[in-house]
Amino acid sequence: MKNQDKNLTKMYEQASSKLPLVAILRGVKPEEVCEVADALIAGGFTMLEVPMNSPEPLKSIELLRKHCPADILVGAGTVLNIEDVKKLNDINAELIVTPNFNEELVKEVMKYNFVSLIGCFSPSECFSAVAMGVTAIKVFPANTLGANYIKNIKAVLPVGTQVLAVGGIDPTNMKPYTDVAVDGFGIASSLYKPGRAVDEIKKIAIEFTNNYNNLKGK
């Protein structure tokens, strides 16, 4: 089923309501990706991102979409090229995450109805992305901009704009961001990195899930 035939807005809302954390699997290989996904899903994660600078990312994403339950959102990160957007649509990816704001690329992403988490650094980029109807703003790098930046930008963005913090997030430093009502996080090397044992990945995923839910009073 192609994205045009899915209600991806509803799927994203449902996935986020369970746990608004995106697992960033930078460097994952196709031969391990399904086992890693099982560990993350068992740990509570609902959104999986394979960055395009990983080994054979399209193959990994295709395997994930066939392997994972339908309510798990699967897609690509570090998407930089318009050509890759069509390729991702062809393999039934649902999620596209970018590190930056590129208007022409975002137009192509929106054409295919992806869940779009678009990297922004400045207020101008944030407002441009919102005007194009993206699913969420990805404030990147969050550890450089800080929680107060998110607080300030959320104060002027349209009410209801989804804002995710990505960059340098680990289980110990989420509170300043949840205190300013960040809507979710992207989690990279503190969760998955090449060579990390699957049991450890599951353990860390559970720690992230528990910490986030505790901070939100769940």
Side-chain angles (χ1 to χ4, degrees):
M1 182 185 295
K2 297 300 182 185
N3 287 344
Q4 290 88 338
D5 302 319
K6 303 174 187 176
N7 188 340
L8 288 183
T9 298
K10 184 176 180 180
M11 289 177 65
Y12 176 74
E13 289 173 353
Q14 290 174 338
S16 294
S17 68
K18 293 178 183 176
L19 188 74
L21 308 184
V22 181
I24 302 170
L25 309 182
R26 191 176 309 280
V28 73
K29 296 178 180 179
E31 56 265 30
E32 65 175 324
V33 71
C34 291
E35 189 177 21
V36 169
D38 287 343
L40 292 166
I41 293 167
F45 277 70
T46 59
M47 293 180 279
L48 309 177
E49 167 197 334
V50 178
M52 291 298 288
N53 55 357
S54 302
E56 299 184 89
L58 294 175
K59 184 175 180 180
S60 287
I61 293 165
E62 189 170 17
L63 287 168
L64 281 178
R65 187 57 285 159
K66 292 176 179 177
H67 175 78
C68 294
D71 61 346
I72 302 298
L73 285 174
V74 172
T78 318
V79 178
L80 301 172
N81 302 310
I82 288 175
E83 296 78 11
D84 286 334
V85 176
K86 185 179 186 305
K87 293 176 184 177
L88 290 162
N89 184 65
D90 288 342
I91 61 172
N92 296 316
E94 298 147 338
L95 175 71
I96 281 187
V97 186
T98 72
N100 66 315
F101 177 76
N102 176 322
E103 183 174 351
E104 293 306 310
L105 180 66
V106 174
K107 284 180 182 177
E108 192 74 4
V109 172
M110 301 303 290
K111 183 172 80 176
Y112 288 103
N113 194 37
F114 285 97
V115 172
S116 50
L117 311 182
I118 303 303
C120 295
F121 186 85
S122 69
S124 294
E125 291 175 345
C126 290
F127 277 100
S128 294
V130 169
M132 295 182 74
V134 304
T135 307
I137 299 297
K138 166 189 165 182
V139 172
F140 176 79
N143 57 341
T144 298
L145 293 165
N148 280 337
Y149 176 84
I150 294 178
K151 177 182 178 180
N152 292 336
I153 199 69
K154 285 199 67 145
V156 294
L157 287 172
V159 174
T161 300
Q162 292 278 300
V163 178
L164 309 184
V166 183
I169 304 300
D170 64 45
T172 69
N173 66 5
M174 301 167 80
K175 188 177 188 302
Y177 299 97
T178 57
D179 284 349
V180 297
V182 73
D183 298 288
F185 295 92
I187 315 294
S189 59
S190 58
L191 175 63
Y192 169 84
K193 58 184 177 181
R196 179 167 283 162
V198 172
D199 288 347
E200 185 179 0
I201 293 169
K202 180 179 177 181
K203 180 181 177 182
I204 297 169
I206 291 170
E207 183 180 4
F208 266 111
T209 299
N210 289 342
N211 281 12
Y212 181 81
N213 286 339
N214 287 337
L215 288 169
K216 300 299 287 185
K218 293 184 178 181

Coordinates of all heavy atoms in Angstrom, one line a residue, residues 100-181:
N100 N 18.2 19.2 7.5 CA 18.1 20.6 7.2 C 16.8 20.9 6.4 O 16.1 20.0 6.1 CB 19.3 21.0 6.3 CG 19.3 20.3 5.0 OD1 19.0 19.1 4.9 ND2 19.6 21.1 3.9
F101 N 16.6 22.2 6.2 CA 15.5 22.7 5.5 C 15.9 23.0 4.0 O 16.7 23.8 3.8 CB 14.8 23.9 6.1 CG 13.7 24.4 5.3 CD1 12.4 23.8 5.3 CD2 13.8 25.5 4.5 CE1 11.4 24.3 4.6 CE2 12.8 26.0 3.7 CZ 11.5 25.4 3.7
N102 N 15.3 22.2 3.1 CA 15.6 22.4 1.7 C 14.2 22.5 1.0 O 13.5 21.5 0.9 CB 16.4 21.3 1.1 CG 16.6 21.4 -0.4 OD1 15.7 21.8 -1.2 ND2 17.8 21.0 -0.8
E103 N 13.8 23.7 0.5 CA 12.4 23.9 0.1 C 12.0 22.9 -1.1 O 10.9 22.3 -1.1 CB 12.2 25.3 -0.4 CG 10.8 25.6 -0.9 CD 10.6 27.1 -1.2 OE1 11.5 27.9 -0.9 OE2 9.5 27.4 -1.7
E104 N 12.9 22.7 -2.0 CA 12.6 21.8 -3.2 C 12.5 20.4 -2.7 O 11.6 19.6 -3.2 CB 13.7 21.9 -4.2 CG 13.7 23.3 -4.9 CD 12.4 23.7 -5.5 OE1 11.8 22.9 -6.2 OE2 11.9 24.8 -5.2
L105 N 13.3 20.0 -1.8 CA 13.2 18.6 -1.2 C 11.9 18.4 -0.5 O 11.2 17.4 -0.6 CB 14.4 18.3 -0.3 CG 14.4 16.9 0.3 CD1 14.6 15.8 -0.8 CD2 15.6 16.8 1.3
V106 N 11.6 19.4 0.4 CA 10.3 19.3 1.1 C 9.1 19.2 0.2 O 8.2 18.5 0.5 CB 10.2 20.5 2.1 CG1 8.9 20.5 2.8 CG2 11.3 20.4 3.2
K107 N 9.1 20.0 -0.9 CA 8.0 19.9 -1.8 C 7.8 18.5 -2.3 O 6.7 18.0 -2.5 CB 8.3 20.8 -3.0 CG 8.0 22.3 -2.7 CD 8.3 23.1 -4.0 CE 8.2 24.6 -3.7 NZ 8.5 25.4 -4.9
E108 N 8.9 17.8 -2.6 CA 8.9 16.4 -3.1 C 8.4 15.5 -2.0 O 7.6 14.6 -2.3 CB 10.3 16.0 -3.6 CG 10.3 14.7 -4.4 CD 9.7 14.9 -5.8 OE1 9.4 16.0 -6.2 OE2 9.6 13.8 -6.5
V109 N 8.8 15.7 -0.8 CA 8.4 14.9 0.3 C 6.9 15.0 0.5 O 6.2 14.0 0.7 CB 9.1 15.3 1.6 CG1 8.5 14.6 2.8 CG2 10.6 14.9 1.5
M110 N 6.4 16.2 0.4 CA 5.0 16.5 0.6 C 4.1 15.9 -0.5 O 3.0 15.4 -0.3 CB 4.7 18.0 0.8 CG 5.4 18.7 1.9 SD 5.1 18.0 3.5 CE 3.4 18.5 3.7
K111 N 4.7 15.9 -1.7 CA 3.9 15.3 -2.8 C 3.6 13.8 -2.6 O 2.5 13.4 -3.0 CB 4.8 15.5 -4.1 CG 4.1 15.0 -5.4 CD 4.9 15.3 -6.6 CE 6.1 14.3 -6.8 NZ 6.8 14.6 -8.1
Y112 N 4.5 13.1 -1.9 CA 4.2 11.7 -1.7 C 3.6 11.4 -0.3 O 3.5 10.2 0.0 CB 5.6 10.9 -1.8 CG 6.1 10.8 -3.2 CD1 7.1 11.6 -3.6 CD2 5.5 9.9 -4.1 CE1 7.6 11.6 -4.9 CE2 6.0 9.8 -5.4 CZ 7.1 10.7 -5.8 OH 7.5 10.6 -7.1
N113 N 3.2 12.4 0.4 CA 2.4 12.2 1.6 C 3.2 11.5 2.7 O 2.6 10.8 3.5 CB 1.1 11.4 1.3 CG 0.1 11.4 2.4 OD1 -0.1 12.5 3.1 ND2 -0.6 10.3 2.6
F114 N 4.5 11.7 2.8 CA 5.3 11.1 3.9 C 5.0 11.8 5.2 O 4.6 13.0 5.2 CB 6.8 11.2 3.6 CG 7.3 10.3 2.5 CD1 7.5 10.7 1.2 CD2 7.7 9.0 2.9 CE1 8.0 9.9 0.3 CE2 8.2 8.2 1.9 CZ 8.4 8.6 0.6
V115 N 5.2 11.1 6.3 CA 5.4 11.7 7.6 C 6.7 12.5 7.4 O 7.7 11.9 7.1 CB 5.4 10.7 8.7 CG1 5.8 11.4 10.0 CG2 4.1 10.0 8.9
S116 N 6.7 13.8 7.6 CA 7.8 14.6 7.3 C 8.3 15.3 8.6 O 7.7 16.2 9.2 CB 7.5 15.7 6.3 OG 6.3 16.4 6.6
L117 N 9.5 14.9 9.0 CA 10.2 15.5 10.2 C 11.4 16.3 9.6 O 12.4 15.7 9.3 CB 10.6 14.4 11.2 CG 9.6 13.4 11.6 CD1 10.1 12.4 12.6 CD2 8.3 14.1 12.1
I118 N 11.2 17.6 9.5 CA 12.1 18.4 8.8 C 13.1 19.2 9.7 O 12.7 20.0 10.6 CB 11.4 19.4 7.8 CG1 10.4 18.6 6.9 CG2 12.3 20.2 7.0 CD1 11.1 17.5 6.1
G119 N 14.4 19.0 9.4 CA 15.4 19.7 10.3 C 15.4 21.2 10.1 O 15.5 21.7 8.9
C120 N 15.4 21.9 11.2 CA 15.4 23.3 11.1 C 16.4 23.9 12.2 O 16.5 23.2 13.3 CB 14.0 23.9 11.4 SG 12.9 23.6 10.1
F121 N 17.0 25.0 11.9 CA 17.9 25.6 12.9 C 17.5 27.0 13.3 O 17.6 27.4 14.4 CB 19.3 25.6 12.3 CG 20.4 26.1 13.2 CD1 21.0 25.2 14.1 CD2 20.8 27.4 13.2 CE1 22.0 25.6 15.0 CE2 21.8 27.9 14.1 CZ 22.4 27.0 15.0
S122 N 17.0 27.7 12.3 CA 16.6 29.1 12.6 C 15.1 29.3 12.6 O 14.3 28.5 12.1 CB 17.2 30.0 11.5 OG 16.5 29.7 10.2
P123 N 14.6 30.4 13.2 CA 13.2 30.7 13.1 C 12.7 30.8 11.7 O 11.6 30.3 11.4 CB 13.1 32.0 13.8 CG 14.2 32.1 14.8 CD 15.4 31.4 14.1
S124 N 13.4 31.3 10.8 CA 13.0 31.4 9.4 C 12.8 30.1 8.8 O 11.7 29.8 8.1 CB 14.0 32.2 8.5 OG 14.1 33.5 9.0
E125 N 13.7 29.1 9.1 CA 13.5 27.8 8.6 C 12.3 27.1 9.2 O 11.5 26.4 8.5 CB 14.7 26.9 8.8 CG 15.9 27.4 8.0 CD 17.2 26.6 8.3 OE1 17.3 26.0 9.4 OE2 18.2 26.7 7.6
C126 N 12.1 27.3 10.5 CA 10.9 26.7 11.2 C 9.6 27.2 10.5 O 8.7 26.4 10.2 CB 11.0 27.1 12.6 SG 12.3 26.2 13.6
F127 N 9.5 28.5 10.4 CA 8.3 29.1 9.8 C 8.1 28.7 8.4 O 6.9 28.4 7.9 CB 8.3 30.6 9.9 CG 7.8 31.1 11.3 CD1 8.8 31.5 12.2 CD2 6.5 31.1 11.6 CE1 8.4 31.9 13.5 CE2 6.1 31.5 12.9 CZ 7.0 31.9 13.8
S128 N 9.1 28.5 7.6 CA 9.0 28.1 6.2 C 8.5 26.7 6.2 O 7.6 26.3 5.3 CB 10.3 28.2 5.5 OG 10.7 29.6 5.4
A129 N 9.0 25.8 7.0 CA 8.6 24.4 7.1 C 7.2 24.3 7.5 O 6.4 23.5 6.9 CB 9.5 23.6 8.0
V130 N 6.8 25.1 8.5 CA 5.4 25.0 8.9 C 4.4 25.5 7.8 O 3.4 24.9 7.6 CB 5.2 25.9 10.2 CG1 3.7 26.1 10.5 CG2 5.9 25.3 11.4
A131 N 4.8 26.5 7.1 CA 4.0 27.0 6.0 C 3.8 26.0 4.9 O 2.8 26.0 4.2 CB 4.6 28.3 5.4
M132 N 4.7 25.0 4.8 CA 4.6 24.0 3.8 C 3.8 22.8 4.3 O 3.6 21.8 3.5 CB 6.0 23.6 3.3 CG 6.8 24.7 2.6 SD 8.4 24.2 2.0 CE 7.9 23.2 0.6
G133 N 3.4 22.8 5.5 CA 2.6 21.8 6.1 C 3.3 20.5 6.5 O 2.7 19.4 6.6
V134 N 4.6 20.6 7.0 CA 5.3 19.4 7.4 C 4.7 18.9 8.7 O 4.0 19.6 9.4 CB 6.8 19.8 7.6 CG1 7.4 20.4 6.4 CG2 7.0 20.7 8.8
T135 N 5.0 17.6 8.9 CA 4.4 17.0 10.1 C 5.0 17.5 11.4 O 4.2 17.8 12.3 CB 4.7 15.4 10.0 OG1 4.2 14.9 8.8 CG2 4.0 14.7 11.2
A136 N 6.3 17.7 11.4 CA 6.9 18.2 12.6 C 8.2 18.9 12.3 O 8.9 18.6 11.3 CB 7.2 17.1 13.6
I137 N 8.6 19.9 13.1 CA 9.9 20.5 13.1 C 10.9 19.7 13.9 O 10.6 19.3 15.0 CB 9.8 21.9 13.7 CG1 8.8 22.8 12.9 CG2 11.2 22.6 13.7 CD1 9.2 23.1 11.5
K138 N 12.0 19.4 13.3 CA 13.1 18.7 14.0 C 14.1 19.8 14.3 O 14.9 20.2 13.4 CB 13.7 17.6 13.1 CG 15.0 17.0 13.5 CD 15.6 16.1 12.5 CE 17.1 15.9 12.7 NZ 17.6 15.0 11.7
V139 N 14.2 20.2 15.6 CA 15.2 21.2 16.0 C 16.5 20.4 16.1 O 16.7 19.5 16.9 CB 14.8 21.8 17.3 CG1 15.9 22.7 17.8 CG2 13.5 22.7 17.1
F140 N 17.4 20.8 15.2 CA 18.7 20.1 15.1 C 19.8 21.1 14.9 O 19.7 22.0 14.0 CB 18.6 19.1 14.0 CG 19.9 18.3 13.8 CD1 20.3 17.3 14.6 CD2 20.8 18.7 12.7 CE1 21.5 16.6 14.4 CE2 22.0 18.1 12.5 CZ 22.3 17.0 13.4
P141 N 20.9 21.0 15.6 CA 21.2 20.1 16.7 C 20.7 20.6 18.0 O 21.1 21.7 18.4 CB 22.7 19.9 16.7 CG 23.2 21.2 16.1 CD 22.2 21.7 15.2
A142 N 19.9 19.9 18.7 CA 19.2 20.3 19.9 C 20.2 20.6 21.0 O 20.1 21.5 21.8 CB 18.2 19.3 20.4
N143 N 21.3 19.8 21.1 CA 22.3 20.0 22.2 C 23.1 21.3 22.0 O 23.7 21.8 23.0 CB 23.2 18.8 22.4 CG 23.9 18.5 21.1 OD1 23.6 18.9 20.0 ND2 25.0 17.7 21.2
T144 N 23.1 21.9 20.8 CA 23.7 23.1 20.6 C 22.8 24.3 20.8 O 23.1 25.3 21.5 CB 24.2 23.2 19.1 OG1 25.2 22.2 18.9 CG2 24.8 24.6 18.8
L145 N 21.5 24.1 20.4 CA 20.5 25.2 20.6 C 19.9 25.3 22.0 O 19.7 26.3 22.5 CB 19.4 25.0 19.5 CG 19.8 25.2 18.1 CD1 18.8 24.7 17.1 CD2 20.1 26.7 17.8
G146 N 19.7 24.1 22.6 CA 19.3 24.0 24.0 C 17.8 24.1 24.1 O 17.1 24.5 23.2
A147 N 17.4 23.7 25.3 CA 15.9 23.7 25.6 C 15.3 25.1 25.6 O 14.1 25.2 25.2 CB 15.7 23.0 27.0
N148 N 16.0 26.1 26.0 CA 15.4 27.4 26.0 C 15.1 27.9 24.6 O 14.2 28.6 24.4 CB 16.4 28.4 26.7 CG 16.3 28.3 28.2 OD1 15.3 27.9 28.8 ND2 17.3 28.8 28.9
Y149 N 15.9 27.5 23.6 CA 15.6 27.8 22.2 C 14.3 27.2 21.9 O 13.4 27.9 21.2 CB 16.7 27.3 21.3 CG 16.4 27.5 19.8 CD1 16.6 28.8 19.3 CD2 15.7 26.6 19.1 CE1 16.3 29.0 17.9 CE2 15.4 26.8 17.8 CZ 15.7 28.0 17.2 OH 15.4 28.3 15.9
I150 N 14.0 26.0 22.2 CA 12.8 25.3 21.9 C 11.6 26.1 22.6 O 10.6 26.3 22.0 CB 12.8 23.8 22.2 CG1 13.8 23.1 21.3 CG2 11.4 23.2 22.1 CD1 14.0 21.7 21.6
K151 N 11.8 26.4 23.8 CA 10.8 27.2 24.5 C 10.4 28.5 23.8 O 9.3 28.8 23.6 CB 11.3 27.5 26.0 CG 10.3 28.3 26.8 CD 10.9 28.6 28.1 CE 10.0 29.5 29.0 NZ 10.5 29.8 30.3
N152 N 11.5 29.2 23.4 CA 11.2 30.5 22.7 C 10.6 30.3 21.3 O 9.7 31.1 20.9 CB 12.6 31.2 22.6 CG 13.1 31.7 23.9 OD1 12.4 31.8 24.9 ND2 14.4 31.8 24.0
I153 N 11.0 29.3 20.6 CA 10.5 29.1 19.2 C 9.1 28.6 19.3 O 8.2 29.0 18.5 CB 11.4 28.2 18.4 CG1 11.1 28.4 16.9 CG2 11.2 26.7 18.8 CD1 11.5 29.7 16.4
K154 N 8.7 27.8 20.3 CA 7.4 27.3 20.4 C 6.4 28.4 20.8 O 5.2 28.4 20.5 CB 7.3 26.1 21.5 CG 7.8 24.8 21.0 CD 7.3 23.7 21.8 CE 5.9 23.5 21.7 NZ 5.4 22.1 21.7
A155 N 6.9 29.4 21.5 CA 6.1 30.5 21.9 C 5.6 31.3 20.7 O 4.5 32.0 20.8 CB 6.9 31.5 22.8
V156 N 6.3 31.3 19.6 CA 5.9 32.1 18.4 C 5.4 31.2 17.2 O 4.7 31.8 16.3 CB 7.0 33.0 17.9 CG1 7.4 34.0 19.0 CG2 8.3 32.2 17.6
L157 N 5.6 29.9 17.3 CA 5.1 29.1 16.2 C 3.6 28.9 16.4 O 3.1 29.1 17.5 CB 5.8 27.7 16.2 CG 7.3 27.7 15.8 CD1 7.9 26.3 16.0 CD2 7.3 28.0 14.3
P158 N 2.9 28.6 15.3 CA 1.4 28.3 15.5 C 1.1 27.3 16.5 O 1.9 26.3 16.6 CB 1.0 27.8 14.1 CG 2.1 28.4 13.1 CD 3.3 28.4 13.9
V159 N 0.1 27.5 17.3 CA -0.3 26.6 18.3 C -0.5 25.2 17.7 O -1.2 25.1 16.6 CB -1.6 27.0 19.0 CG1 -2.1 26.0 20.0 CG2 -1.3 28.3 19.7
G160 N 0.0 24.2 18.3 CA -0.1 22.8 17.8 C 1.0 22.3 17.0 O 1.0 21.1 16.6
T161 N 1.9 23.2 16.6 CA 3.1 22.8 15.8 C 3.9 21.8 16.6 O 4.3 22.0 17.8 CB 4.0 24.0 15.5 OG1 3.3 24.9 14.7 CG2 5.2 23.5 14.7
Q162 N 4.2 20.6 16.0 CA 5.0 19.6 16.6 C 6.4 19.9 16.5 O 6.9 20.3 15.4 CB 4.7 18.2 15.9 CG 3.3 17.7 16.1 CD 3.2 17.0 17.5 OE1 3.9 16.0 17.7 NE2 2.3 17.5 18.3
V163 N 7.2 19.9 17.6 CA 8.6 20.2 17.7 C 9.3 19.0 18.3 O 9.0 18.7 19.5 CB 8.9 21.5 18.4 CG1 10.4 21.8 18.5 CG2 8.2 22.7 17.7
L164 N 10.3 18.5 17.6 CA 11.1 17.4 18.2 C 12.5 17.9 18.4 O 13.0 18.7 17.6 CB 11.2 16.2 17.2 CG 9.8 15.6 16.7 CD1 10.1 14.4 15.8 CD2 8.9 15.3 17.8
A165 N 13.1 17.4 19.5 CA 14.5 17.7 19.8 C 15.4 16.5 19.3 O 15.2 15.4 19.7 CB 14.7 18.0 21.3
V166 N 16.4 16.8 18.5 CA 17.3 15.8 18.0 C 18.7 16.3 18.0 O 19.0 17.4 17.6 CB 16.9 15.4 16.5 CG1 17.8 14.3 16.0 CG2 15.5 15.0 16.4
G167 N 19.6 15.4 18.6 CA 21.0 15.8 18.6 C 21.5 15.8 20.1 O 21.2 16.7 20.8
G168 N 22.2 14.7 20.4 CA 22.8 14.7 21.8 C 21.9 14.3 22.9 O 22.2 14.5 24.1
I169 N 20.8 13.6 22.5 CA 19.8 13.3 23.5 C 20.1 11.9 24.1 O 20.4 10.9 23.4 CB 18.4 13.2 22.9 CG1 18.0 14.6 22.3 CG2 17.3 12.8 24.0 CD1 18.0 15.7 23.2
D170 N 20.1 11.8 25.5 CA 20.3 10.5 26.1 C 19.3 10.4 27.3 O 18.6 11.4 27.5 CB 21.8 10.3 26.6 CG 22.2 11.4 27.7 OD1 21.4 11.6 28.6 OD2 23.3 11.9 27.6
P171 N 19.2 9.3 27.9 CA 18.2 9.1 29.0 C 18.3 10.1 30.1 O 17.3 10.3 30.9 CB 18.4 7.7 29.5 CG 19.0 7.0 28.4 CD 19.9 8.0 27.7
T172 N 19.5 10.7 30.3 CA 19.7 11.6 31.5 C 19.4 13.1 31.2 O 19.3 13.9 32.2 CB 21.2 11.5 32.0 OG1 22.0 12.1 31.0 CG2 21.6 10.0 32.2
N173 N 19.2 13.5 30.0 CA 19.1 14.9 29.7 C 17.8 15.3 29.0 O 17.7 16.4 28.4 CB 20.3 15.4 28.9 CG 20.4 14.8 27.5 OD1 19.5 14.1 27.1 ND2 21.5 15.1 26.8
M174 N 16.8 14.5 29.2 CA 15.5 14.8 28.5 C 14.7 15.8 29.3 O 13.8 16.5 28.7 CB 14.7 13.5 28.3 CG 15.5 12.4 27.5 SD 14.7 10.8 27.6 CE 13.3 11.0 26.5
K175 N 14.9 15.9 30.6 CA 14.0 16.7 31.4 C 13.9 18.2 31.0 O 12.8 18.7 30.9 CB 14.3 16.6 32.9 CG 13.3 17.2 33.8 CD 13.6 17.1 35.3 CE 12.5 17.6 36.2 NZ 12.2 19.0 36.0
P176 N 15.0 18.8 30.7 CA 14.9 20.2 30.3 C 14.0 20.5 29.1 O 13.4 21.5 29.0 CB 16.4 20.7 30.1 CG 17.2 19.7 30.9 CD 16.4 18.4 30.8
Y177 N 14.0 19.5 28.2 CA 13.2 19.6 27.0 C 11.7 19.3 27.3 O 10.9 20.0 26.8 CB 13.8 18.6 25.9 CG 15.2 18.9 25.5 CD1 16.3 18.3 26.1 CD2 15.5 19.9 24.6 CE1 17.6 18.6 25.7 CE2 16.7 20.2 24.2 CZ 17.8 19.5 24.8 OH 19.1 19.8 24.4
T178 N 11.5 18.3 28.1 CA 10.1 18.0 28.4 C 9.5 19.1 29.3 O 8.3 19.4 29.2 CB 9.9 16.7 29.2 OG1 10.7 16.6 30.3 CG2 10.3 15.5 28.3
D179 N 10.4 19.8 30.0 CA 9.9 21.0 30.8 C 9.4 22.1 30.0 O 8.6 22.9 30.4 CB 11.0 21.5 31.7 CG 11.3 20.6 33.0 OD1 10.5 19.7 33.2 OD2 12.3 20.8 33.6
V180 N 9.9 22.2 28.7 CA 9.5 23.3 27.8 C 8.5 22.7 26.8 O 8.3 23.3 25.7 CB 10.7 24.0 27.2 CG1 11.5 24.6 28.2 CG2 11.5 23.0 26.3
A181 N 7.9 21.5 27.1 CA 6.9 20.9 26.3 C 7.3 20.5 24.9 O 6.5 20.7 23.9 CB 5.7 21.9 26.2

